[in-house]
Structures are given as structure tokens and as C-alpha cells.
Amino acid sequence: MDENTRNLIKKVERSVFAGNRAAAAKELGEIGDFDAVPVLLKALEDSSSKVKAAASEALGEINDPDAVPCLMKMLDYPESYVKKAAIIALGKIGTQEAVSGIVKGFRDPDKLIRKESVKA
């Protein structure tokens, strides 16, 4: 793991500001380092919806099938943009288990989530 990845992981774990945590999570996804997966999975439990969505997106970019169960839990979250990020991530991962999560989105009361599920 390089120094930049280590610094981003520290930001996700320790920054007081949700915007900084979300930006660091997004950047970890862009880097695509599997070493960041445990921190991103933990970030799905963050108090900030912005961080949850960014961590979901990052996990989709990294494309780790082990993240699917945690991403599926995000489909029960009340905020649409968190669910949308999880569905997009599940679509990128594309395993059979991920597809079952996407199918769950077909029954969501939110039209945006249903639409995103079809796209995924």
C-alpha cells in the first residue's frame, strides 16, 4: 500500500468533516486498491449519508464481490441517493448475489431507485 492510500484511509477513518471523509472514500475508489476495502466497508456505517454513498461508489469501482452483502444493506437506507449509489455499485460488481440486490430495487417505492435498478 502506498503512502497516498494510507493517508486517504486515515482521512476516511478520522476526519471530523463528512465532506473530507466522502472525498477520501471517492478517491480510494478511483485508486482501486483492494487494501482500502475494509475501511470502505466500515464507512458504510458512517453517520453521514454522503460518506455512505461515496463508500458505496468506491466499492463498486474496486469491484470486490465480498462487498455485496454490505452494499445490499444500503438498499434499506431511507435516502434515495445512498440506495442509488449501492445499486450502481452492485451493477458494477455483477455477481449473482449482486443481481439479486438489484432486483430488490425493482420493488422500491422510489421511482428513481426502480429506474436505476433497471439500468444496472
Side-chain angles (χ1 to χ4, degrees), residues 3-4 10-11 13 20 30-32 47 51 59 64 70-73 75 78-79 82-83 85 90 92 100 118:
E3 188 65 28
N4 185 41
K10 285 179 187 175
K11 274 188 185 178
E13 292 177 324
N20 290 346
E30 292 167 358
I31 292 170
S47 60
V51 176
L59 289 163
D64 184 354
C70 294
L71 288 167
M72 287 181 63
K73 289 179 186 174
L75 300 178
E79 294 193 37
V82 172
K83 289 192 273 189
L90 290 168
K92 289 180 179 180
S100 72
V118 170

Side-chain angles (χ1 to χ4, degrees), residues 54-112:
S56 294
E57 291 171 11
L59 289 163
E61 292 299 321
I62 294 172
N63 198 5
D64 184 354
D66 292 337
V68 170
C70 294
L71 288 167
M72 287 181 63
K73 289 179 186 174
M74 293 292 98
L75 300 178
D76 294 326
Y77 200 73
E79 294 193 37
S80 292
Y81 71 95
V82 172
K83 289 192 273 189
K84 177 182 175 185
I87 285 174
I88 291 169
L90 290 168
K92 289 180 179 180
I93 294 171
T95 63
Q96 187 173 357
E97 185 182 11
V99 171
S100 72
I102 294 167
V103 169
K104 181 179 179 182
F106 293 157
R107 295 181 303 274
D108 196 276
D110 187 329
K111 183 178 179 179
L112 172 70

Side-chain angles (χ1 to χ4, degrees), residues 23-66:
K26 181 178 184 202
E27 199 169 334
L28 285 170
E30 292 167 358
I31 292 170
D33 190 336
F34 276 89
D35 290 333
V37 170
V39 172
L40 293 169
L41 290 173
K42 186 159 175 49
L44 293 176
E45 301 170 8
D46 196 277
S47 60
S48 167
S49 297
K50 183 185 267 189
V51 176
K52 290 176 190 291
S56 294
E57 291 171 11
L59 289 163
E61 292 299 321
I62 294 172
N63 198 5
D64 184 354
D66 292 337

